[in-house]
Amino acid sequence: MKILNYINGELKEPAAGAYLDNYDPSIGQVYGQVPDSDSTDVADAYKAATAAQKGWENTPAEEKFKVLNAIAEGIDAKREEFALAESRDQGKPLWLSRNEMIRAAQNFRFYATAAMQFASESHAMENRAINYTLRQSIGVVGCISPWNLPLYLFSWKIAPALAAGNAVVAKPSEFTPATAFLLSEVCIQAGLPKGVLNIVHGLGPKVGQAMVEHPKIKAISFTGGTVTGKYIAATAAPMFKKLSLELGGKNPNIIFADADLDKAVKTTVNTSFMNQGEICLCGSRLLIEESVYEEVKNALIEEVKKLTVGDPMNDSTRIGAIVSKPHYEKVKSYIELAQEEGGKVLIGGQTVHPEGKENGWYIQPTIIEGLKAECRTNQEEIFGPVITIMPFKNEAEALEIANGTEYGLAATFWTNDLKRAHRLASELEFGIVWVNCWLLRDLRTPFGGVKSSGVGREGGWEAMRFFTEPKNVCIAL
Ligand code: TXE
């Protein structure tokens, strides 16, 4: 597959004609080419975007709604093609890609309705004046997304940015460009006016950097690693750009003795290992109340034994390939580190070489116990199929361990005690708290983290507010 940039409504080669190899992680081999674009391509994309922006901003909401809906329908119509491309590019099981493609279409459909419904406030000052807030499009905005949920997260940014009347310069991860490329074809067919969305492929430090440094791209919405987020924040701050940063996590998953343990264990398999553990919301630190520690641990191990690691295209596969060689090496190095730190591997810990896919990058789902809460394994984001388990004595200790990292993205806990549910939900220092569930998402809710997990929120009106600039107009009566 040869990927092309999407600039000014056309599929284009990168200006310098350079390409990067794109790997199929299930076989560890190159299967396609991705543009190795540079600042010239970003400048072209900006030029097209700025020429198109006012026209798009002034397009009636109902027209915006129709076009965004047509994009959603375009994805739905090609769901299988999209899902196959996503799994081949990313390594995730095909059944999971199919679900994610449904969500990618939903993102466009959801924000199509937001374009129709978005409204602003008015503040009356008795008989003296009336204030109203104009929420105006920002202009040209940048969207940068990662490799773990490629189209799902790419569309999660682009859809609200467009619904709010901006023109967009977007960059998917260089590791997983395929579905963003298919999306450009869908946008052309859906009749999105040229230049309104521009997709520039290539490396983060080249294309992403050029977007962040571009003085006229006035807002950046970024999802990715915390280190990259810090760098982007430092670059953008002197230009006073608006920033939304969705960064890493080291999420706790806490099981209390009073919980529905069977349900907690079954869901924990997903919380821990869905998408090879490569979801920023995965619970990588499992905390289990002392009195049920052995019972829950053993039940979880039995469930994890059932998970098949292998070819993403097989229906029976639960855990596919790790996205890239460097990431595979990183995850392996954390399994080694955990053992050096005194951890005991209860299950997994090894690489896997499925028949016919021996050179792919596969790692067994891994559970490690016996580590202190403060050790590196329990503090740093691994982002792979690796969790640690720790016992806790009481709620206070669980809370202390849960809050005891630099991250604050998502916490999950399991209890049937209603008072505890409310108390703990309020005390956990996280942007998202799931009680007796995990990854149950309503697109209207605020999405994002605190501490080193990011700044700002996506989702619902939060994203519409991020992608608009509020202006107060005060009229004396
Ligand atoms: O992310 P990067 P990587 C975490 C996870 C992972 C780590 C690194 O821990 O191991 O991040 O992954 C672009 N200016 N998450 O290296 O590099 C890059 O091209 C502008 C958590 O893939 O942050 C890509 O499009 N852009 C996360 C995007 O940023 C730059 C999901 C993310 O890449 C750039 C993925 C720069 N200087 C990884 N450098 C989550 N929370 O969902 C890179 N990019």
Side-chain angles (χ1 to χ4, degrees):
M1 187 187 228
K2 187 177 177 186
I3 308 276
L4 295 170
N5 289 333
Y6 170 52
I7 297 176
N8 206 23
E10 286 170 19
L11 301 177
K12 286 177 72 170
E13 307 256 353
Y19 284 83
L20 303 161
D21 287 335
N22 190 19
Y23 284 82
D24 174 345
S26 76
I27 49 172
Q29 279 171 19
V30 175
Y31 85 103
Q33 303 290 308
V34 196
D36 182 8
S37 311
D38 57 32
S39 54
T40 310
D41 302 287
V42 173
D44 280 353
Y46 171 76
K47 204 170 135 207
T50 196
Q53 196 270 325
K54 275 289 165 210
W56 176 246
E57 180 177 349
N58 292 325
T59 297
E62 192 162 343
E63 275 307 306
K64 292 194 189 93
F65 167 85
K66 280 186 190 155
V67 178
L68 294 176
N69 248 338
I71 296 173
E73 276 162 25
I75 297 170
D76 280 342
K78 294 185 172 178
R79 186 180 303 152
E80 196 61 13
E81 187 189 340
F82 269 88
L84 284 163
E86 196 79 299
S87 281
R88 181 151 199 212
D89 219 18
Q90 208 277 344
K92 67 180 73 219
L94 184 57
W95 59 265
L96 185 57
S97 289
R98 288 187 182 119
N99 291 344
E100 290 180 14
M101 296 309 109
I102 293 172
R103 168 62 193 273
Q106 270 172 351
N107 289 339
F108 279 103
R109 205 169 282 122
F110 178 84
Y111 280 106
T113 65
M116 296 272 280
Q117 302 283 345
F118 194 44
S120 65
E121 316 82 46
S122 163
H123 301 89
M125 297 170 74
E126 296 78 39
N127 57 359
R128 287 189 293 155
I130 176 101
N131 292 277
Y132 61 87
T133 308
L134 278 179
R135 289 202 173 264
Q136 296 176 308
S137 313
I138 292 177
V140 178
V141 301
C143 298
I144 302 175
S145 61
W147 46 256
N148 58 332
L149 308 169
L151 192 66
Y152 178 124
L153 290 177
F154 198 54
S155 54
W156 182 232
K157 298 185 179 303
I158 290 169
L162 295 176
N166 301 289
V168 177
V169 177
K171 190 195 96 63
S173 169
E174 57 272 33
F175 292 106
T176 53
T179 46
F181 175 59
L182 296 180
L183 177 70
S184 29
E185 294 177 339
V186 163
C187 288
I188 294 170
Q189 285 154 10
L192 185 70
K194 64 176 190 175
V196 169
L197 171 64
N198 304 276
I199 302 176
V200 186
H201 294 272
L203 298 170
K206 254 162 108 171
V207 176
Q209 181 81 13
M211 287 166 62
V212 177
E213 284 176 354
H214 197 293
K216 299 261 175 66
I217 298 181
K218 292 186 233 154
I220 298 284
S221 174
F222 169 82
T223 299
T226 293
V227 173
T228 316
K230 270 186 199 163
Y231 189 70
I232 289 177
T235 309
M239 289 180 273
F240 306 111
K241 290 193 186 199
K242 228 175 160 181
L243 280 186
S244 168
L245 303 173
E246 296 298 334
L247 310 175
K250 189 73 183 175
N251 308 311
N253 176 18
I254 311 166
I255 302 180
F256 287 94
D258 67 53
D260 178 342
L261 296 181
D262 190 47
K263 191 166 173 220
V265 166
K266 293 221 163 82
T267 307
T268 291
V269 176
N270 286 332
T271 313
S272 309
F273 302 118
M274 192 189 261
N275 200 41
Q276 301 73 246
E278 296 164 343
I279 305 182
C280 50
L281 306 165
C282 275
S284 51
R285 298 179 295 146
L286 175 59
L287 313 180
I288 308 169
E289 191 161 356
E290 219 169 47
S291 59
V292 292
Y293 183 79
E294 290 299 321
E295 178 189 346
V296 170
K297 173 175 106 178
N298 293 331
L300 183 65
I301 290 172
E302 286 312 306
E303 289 297 323
V304 172
K305 277 184 192 162
K306 297 179 200 161
L307 301 178
T308 313
V309 182
D311 185 353
M313 301 300 168
N314 283 350
D315 284 342
S316 59
T317 294
R318 305 308 293 176
I319 306 214
I322 301 291
V323 67
S324 66
K325 183 91 188 292
H327 193 58
Y328 168 78
E329 298 295 347
K330 175 183 158 181
V331 175
K332 282 201 305 180
S333 77
Y334 270 102
I335 297 174
E336 280 164 28
L337 173 72
Q339 287 163 294
E340 284 161 23
E341 289 186 313
K344 179 179 163 207
V345 174
L346 295 177
I347 184 167
Q350 303 295 318
T351 55
V352 182
H353 303 281
E355 209 185 319
K357 308 267 169 183
E358 288 81 1
N359 296 323
W361 304 310
Y362 301 90
I363 295 177
Q364 290 174 333
T366 302
I367 304 178
I368 298 166
E369 81 170 345
L371 288 168
K372 295 235 173 344
E374 305 75 31
C375 72
R376 280 185 57 202
T377 311
N378 270 326
Q379 292 291 323
E380 298 174 15
E381 187 183 41
I382 302 174
F383 220 58
V386 180
I387 64 159
T388 63
I389 61 171
M390 283 174 274
F392 65 85
K393 285 191 185 56
N394 52 36
E395 188 182 312
E397 191 188 17
L399 181 68
E400 193 187 326
I401 299 173
N403 284 343
T405 77
E406 65 162 312
Y407 294 105
L409 189 52
T412 298
F413 68 91
W414 297 84
T415 184
N416 277 323
D417 178 338
L418 187 62
K419 284 188 195 159
R420 173 168 25 230
H422 289 294
R423 190 168 53 230
L424 208 55
S426 131
E427 287 170 343
L428 284 161
E429 295 162 1
F430 293 82
I432 302 160
V433 177
W434 277 296
V435 185
N436 297 331
C437 61
W438 176 71
L439 203 49
L440 187 54
R441 294 276 298 119
D442 179 326
L443 303 190
R444 294 169 299 179
T445 58
F447 179 89
V450 299
K451 294 156 82 177
S452 295
S453 292
V455 179
R457 294 292 182 277
E458 300 186 294
W461 294 140
E462 302 284 346
M464 294 298 282
R465 288 194 196 105
F466 173 76
F467 283 118
T468 50
E469 201 61 76
K471 179 190 285 174
N472 181 61
V473 181
C474 177
I475 301 184
L477 297 177

